[in-house]
Structure formats: structure tokens, C-alpha cells
Amino acid sequence: MRDTRLEWAHWPAKGQTAGAPPLLFVHGAFSGLWCWEANFLPWFAERGFDVWAVSLEGHAGSSGHERLARIGISDYVDNLQQAIDRIGQPPIIVGHSMGGYVTQALLSRGVELPGVIMLAAVPPYGLTPSVLRLLGLAPGKLMKVLLFQQGVYQPSSFELRHLLFSPAAPESATALMASREQRESYRAMVDMMLWPVLPPLRALPPALVLGSTLDQIVMAPDVYATAMRFGVGPVFFPGMGHMMMLDQGWQDVAETMANWLQTQWPAAAPAPAGTVEA
């Protein structure tokens, strides 16, 4: 496993510390840790969570851009292991889209995590159904994605709104995506289409699986498949697109996540005034 220079963001917990282990946010394809910085990282830190995010190699501020086309899912899994080593303890991983698939692949290696949260995660059978759905329902959108991947087309914020967001998404969110999106690894995309279905997990960590009703990339059957793998029922958010951390209503997603985390890992009650701890 090569030691890649990865871009990090760390927002230490503020105020009363939550009872949960650290949170590690992992972005999806065409993205970087910047997608979490606008809303989720400060929001969770303000509520007492120790928050980390990483840009996978070849993305944003991480090294590896020159070899991006050759980077595979197994390399991204290595990145997550490197992140765990840096944090110093197994975190709860919050994986979006491809980041959710990479997290599932990490678990398939036998790595134990205290918990996972899947946001519009690529399901265990990969991307092929999503590509075929886009081909049938919106071939023009699929063609533009392929042209962007080739580096010969730059979608506008208007086009990104129709593919990745809801009609009510803030202009600032679509503008951020338009200014920061990048090409994805060919090998990683092929891996998610041609790899065999990820095997059942030997040990199921506590899991929260979230999807959105307007997502054109990871649709309801995909969300149900991921939820089934973890033995839980999914939660869907109406009127949201694929970029759940940036779309309108992101606060509802964050609140649902925080409530689940607080239920799974209750914060210790503060000691009464005058109490001396042993």
C-alpha cells in the first residue's frame, strides 16, 4: 500500500462532546472534501462531534492527479485505511455515493468500524444499473457526463442542477459544484461497473442508510439494496437530489444523522456540581 499524500480537514468538537467516535466524511466521484466543508463539517463540530474529512487520492488537494486514470477502488480503500491510521481509532464513516461504495469495500476486507452512514451510496452491485437507467431515461445527460469525463465538455450550473440537485437547490450549491468538480478515475468507474457484487458482511456495524426521492444517479432500488446489505430499513428525503450535503433540506439530513448518532452513542451526562470523579 503506497503512502499517498492526502488532503485532510479536521474540525474538533466544540462545546459538550458527543458520545460517538470520530466521524470521517468520504466524498463521491468527481468531488473532494470541499463538498462537506460548506455545511456538514462545521454543523457537526458545533454539536460536539470530532469531525474529519479526506480527499481521496487524485482528488482536490490530494496527490495523484497525474495518475488519476489508473487509480482503482482498491486504492481508495487503502486511502481509508490511511485515514483511520491518522485519526488513531476506527471512525464512523459517512460515505456519499462512490464514497459509500468504497466504505463497503473496506468492510469487505474485514476492517471493523463502529458504525457507518450511507448517503446516496453506490450499492453493492455497483453502477451498471444506474448507467443503464440514465441511458434509457436521459441519454443526453449520460452523454454529457461521458464528455465531461473526456475533458471536452464543462456542464453549466444549470445542467448540474438538473442532474445532481433539486430544482430548489441554492444557487451557491450548484455554483460550488460547477467550480470544483473534476474528472474521475476511469479505472474506479470501471471497477464499480465490472467488479463482482460485494460479498455479504461477516459482521454488521450499526448503519444508517439514506436516500433522496429526486436522485437520478442512486435511485430507490439502489438505496434499498444497500440497506438490505446492512440489515436496516432506509430513510428517504423528499424533494432532494443526489448531492444531499449541499441541496436544500441538508439540515434535515444532518439532524437525522445526529439523532441516530446520539441514540447509538449517548453522550455521558455531566457530573453534578461539586462531584469529584474517581
Side-chain angles (χ1 to χ4, degrees), residues 31 34-35 96 164-165 177 240-247:
S31 189
W34 51 263
C35 72
H96 175 251
L164 299 175
F165 294 89
M177 192 73 195
M240 295 189 76
H242 186 64
M243 299 299 289
M244 299 175 68
M245 76 293 286
L246 293 172
D247 209 337

Side-chain angles (χ1 to χ4, degrees), residues 24-27 36 54 56 73 76-78 80-81 84 91-113 115-119 121-122 192 198 201 205-207 226 229-230:
L24 173 62
F25 289 81
V26 184
H27 63 85
W36 304 108
V54 62
L56 300 172
I73 292 297
Y76 293 155
V77 174
D78 290 343
L80 294 195
Q81 186 61 66
I84 293 171
I92 299 163
I93 296 185
V94 182
H96 175 251
S97 195
M98 182 182 75
Y101 185 86
V102 174
T103 301
Q104 294 179 68
L106 175 73
L107 291 168
S108 294
R109 285 189 182 180
V111 174
E112 295 184 1
L113 298 173
V116 296
I117 299 178
M118 301 279 102
L119 269 68
V122 172
M192 288 189 288
L198 293 173
L201 299 174
T226 300
R229 188 166 193 251
F230 287 103

